[in-house]
Amino acid sequence: MDSEASDFPRGALRPRRKNMLSIHFTQLMQTLPFFLKGLWGTIAISGLSLLAGTLVGLIMGIIRASRYKILRMVIGAWVDLIRGTPFLVQIFIVFFILPEVGIQLEAFPAAVIALSNLSACFICEIIAGGILAIPSGQREAATASGLSSYQQLRYVILPQALRLILPPLVGQYVLLIKDSSVVSAIGVLDVTRVGWLTVQRVPEGLLVFGLVGVLYFVICYPLIQLSNSLEKRLTVVTTRL
Amino acid sequence: MRCVVDMNMITFSKVNKWFGDLHVLKDVSLTVDAGEVVVICGPSGSGKSTLIRCINRLEEIQKGEIIVDHMKVHEKKTNMTELRAEIGFVFQSFNLYPHMTALENVILAPMKVRKMPRSEAEKLGMQILERVGLVIKANAYPAQLSGGQQQRVAIARGLCMRPKIMLFDEPTSALDPEMINEVLDVMRALAREGMTMIVVSHEMGFAREVAHRVAFMDDGSIIEVAAPEEFFHHPKSERSKAFLSRILTH
């Protein structure tokens, strides 16, 4: 290839490459349904994981901000462990190492479990931070008027904490959707995996992974916008209050 | 004037509390009758706020007994939710719920603790807001109210549970001077209606006019309990004399 290139004047290469590019582009367009399938995979894994992660993270966060010392420490240790190890390693553990102890999982559920766990850990910290940011006088006032712990949380603490939590929570969703690309490593058919498979047939990395990037961006951009506008709206509200 | 139902509403006997190594309440004993208004004064850090926060167990005590409306607050197994519903508590910094309107602040506990239907609670809430002169602000958020108005909403929030006791923890010390009176007026009216009240306050004019007794605290102990006239004109202990000269001449 090198010697061939040096035989040609530099300018001569360009039209040929341009030509190849357009051929590859056409080829790529033909694989579009495949990409849409990958896109669906990414959306399914991220969606399920964020849903599960939010639910579990909410419960973990509430406990982490509670007065149950031992539970708080257990959750804290788990969150640190998960945040302190690469997601790729976590997903390998779920997919390759759990079968050793008799827990056999398909790639898709393994991916959802690993990503849900990761989401839960990050979301837990955001929720706990939001709850702890509410002045203690709020809880005292609610306690003094006879509300139960659950009622305090439900009617006084969480509605206020949610204003603080929502913008970083949506921001975290964006990070997790991008992290979901790691699940391609265990063969789950998501956008990244489709990219890997396609680039073997359409040898134009820039084009293929450009498209992969665009597809992630299409999912993430509305969320980024949502996070920004929530931040603006809710800070206006909280400063007014 | 003083409605004498011969009944102890609140009894402290030899109450002791520590914050870590700090001994904040030292053998405090005090009895408050139903319908009585007691003003607690004393230098800051003397344990006044801690004392009234023990009444509804916002703070736990380590030694001694507190009996409120026949319930043993010092015993861990006592169900406090029930008792707290009978005790209105007004904080120095109002502590209104910022995400709720004045009316919603007032009716939250009646609806959730007393299980009152919303329509009924709203009717009651409006009545109570009328008593504190804030019907027109029913739909305002706390941030849209002045300090004095916020504190009146906070009092209404306590009253809406139809409590037997109202506790006030320095209710006017976070207020601008021109707003103090509107809050004191509401408290005066309450006292006249025979509410049992303990007020931690440096408002000596209010104490003189409304209190049945004044308790002076210093360094975690109650030094002196006396009728206002006696306390202000003939304080017994050196410490209360020193305190009064400081507070009355400023």
Side-chain angles (χ1 to χ4, degrees), chain B residues 2 10 16 18-20 41 87 98 131 134 150 197 201 217:
Chain B
R2 180 161 161 195
I10 303 167
N16 281 275
W18 287 264
F19 282 125
C41 61
I87 304 173
R131 273 173 73 183
L134 284 174
Q150 288 192 52
M197 291 163 62
S201 179
M217 277 188 87

Side-chain angles (χ1 to χ4, degrees), chain A residues 18-52:
Chain A
K18 213 177 207 170
N19 197 23
M20 284 303 287
L21 201 67
S22 79
I23 292 169
H24 287 153
F25 186 77
T26 327
Q27 279 180 336
L28 191 63
M29 285 304 109
Q30 283 162 355
T31 61
L32 213 53
F34 193 35
F35 268 96
L36 289 179
K37 210 170 156 192
L39 185 67
W40 172 242
T42 291
I43 290 174
I45 285 170
S46 311
L48 285 173
S49 304
L50 292 184
L51 202 67

Side-chain angles (χ1 to χ4, degrees), chain B residues 19-62:
Chain B
F19 282 125
D21 287 336
L22 197 65
H23 199 174
V24 285
L25 294 179
K26 300 172 183 164
D27 273 336
V28 173
S29 297
L30 178 72
T31 307
V32 179
D33 291 337
E36 197 179 16
V37 178
V38 174
V39 169
I40 303 179
C41 61
S44 62
S46 57
K48 307 167 301 230
S49 295
T50 310
L51 184 71
I52 69 164
R53 288 164 61 89
C54 290
I55 295 172
N56 65 353
R57 212 199 273 162
L58 282 178
E59 305 286 355
E60 281 185 34
I61 62 168
Q62 279 84 39

